């Protein structure tokens, strides 16, 4: 059975920041919305002059907040994983230029250092098929761009 992509609005030619922002409020769970994630960039089409290894993706920012921390002021791993997961959902939508219902079937995260600052998630699609999608997310400090985590993900289209 083929899954039809759902466009958020017919006026959108490509999936961009406006569509991604609507997706954040229309599809994401309220507790994910409570993370205060900000959509900084959506790359759904190959830009002019892009390198041969260019991949569609999404860039999100998770502002530092005490409510995301455990004792000691370090952002909890669950918040970082939710950031990565949300970034991958938007990256998948960018690759299709529309949202499709999906579910993570595998996610692996490597935590590289403690976080007590804003985090940037750069999600990229590695391979996309008709019924699944594979991607990677690099988490880095918004201030100094140093890596804080790496995530590999696989999603099944529902």
């Amino acid at each position: 059975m083929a899954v039809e992509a759902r466009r958020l609005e017919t006026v959108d030619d490509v999936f961009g920041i406006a569509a991604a922002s609507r997706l954040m409020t229309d599809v994401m769970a309220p507790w994910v919305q409570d993370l205060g994630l900000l959509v900084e960039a959506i790359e759904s089409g190959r830009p002019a002059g892009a390198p041969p290894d260019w991949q569609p993706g999404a860039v999100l920012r998770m502002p530092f907040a005490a409510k995301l921390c455990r004792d000691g002021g370090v952002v909890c791993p669950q918040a970082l994983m939710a950031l990565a997961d949300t970034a991958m959902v938007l990256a998948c939508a960018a690759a299709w230029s529309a949202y499709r219902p999906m579910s993570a079937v595998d996610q692996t995260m490597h935590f590289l250092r403690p976080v007590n600052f804003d985090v940037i998630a750069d999600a990229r699609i590695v391979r996309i098929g008709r019924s699944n999608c594979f991607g990677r997310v690099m988490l880095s400090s918004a201030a100094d761009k140093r890596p804080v985590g790496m995530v590999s993900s696989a999603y099944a289209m529902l």
Side-chain angles (χ1 to χ4, degrees):
M1 171 182 6
V3 175
E4 186 65 30
R6 187 185 97 196
R7 296 220 181 262
L8 293 177
E9 282 189 21
T10 57
V11 296
D12 293 339
D13 290 335
V14 295
F15 187 85
I17 290 179
S21 296
R22 284 191 307 277
L23 184 64
M24 292 289 291
T25 58
D26 293 351
V27 175
M28 300 301 168
W31 68 268
V32 173
Q33 294 176 30
D34 287 345
L35 294 173
L37 304 180
L38 305 169
V39 180
E40 295 206 339
I42 297 291
E43 295 182 26
S44 58
R46 180 181 292 276
D53 63 347
W54 175 87
Q55 298 165 319
V59 178
L60 275 66
R61 175 186 293 258
M62 183 173 69
F64 177 80
K67 69 180 180 180
L68 303 178
C69 298
R70 59 178 186 239
D71 294 335
V74 175
V75 174
C76 69
Q78 294 86 351
L80 293 172
M81 192 57 146
L83 166 63
D85 179 63
T86 304
M88 274 304 301
V89 169
L90 295 181
C92 289
W96 275 300
S97 206
Y99 172 73
R100 290 182 177 185
M102 65 189 85
S103 178
V105 293
D106 182 58
Q107 292 182 315
T108 301
M109 182 167 205
H110 299 279
F111 300 96
L112 304 176
R113 67 184 179 125
V115 174
N116 58 1
F117 40 75
D118 287 11
V119 177
I120 301 294
D122 186 351
R124 298 294 158 174
I125 301 303
V126 175
R127 182 183 177 281
I128 196 160
R130 287 182 292 152
S131 62
N132 56 27
C133 181
F134 300 90
R136 63 173 172 76
V137 183
M138 287 300 301
L139 301 176
S140 60
S141 164
D144 64 13
K145 310 293 187 240
R146 289 178 47 206
V148 298
M150 304 180 304
V151 180
S152 63
S153 302
Y155 290 79
M157 302 304 112
L158 303 176

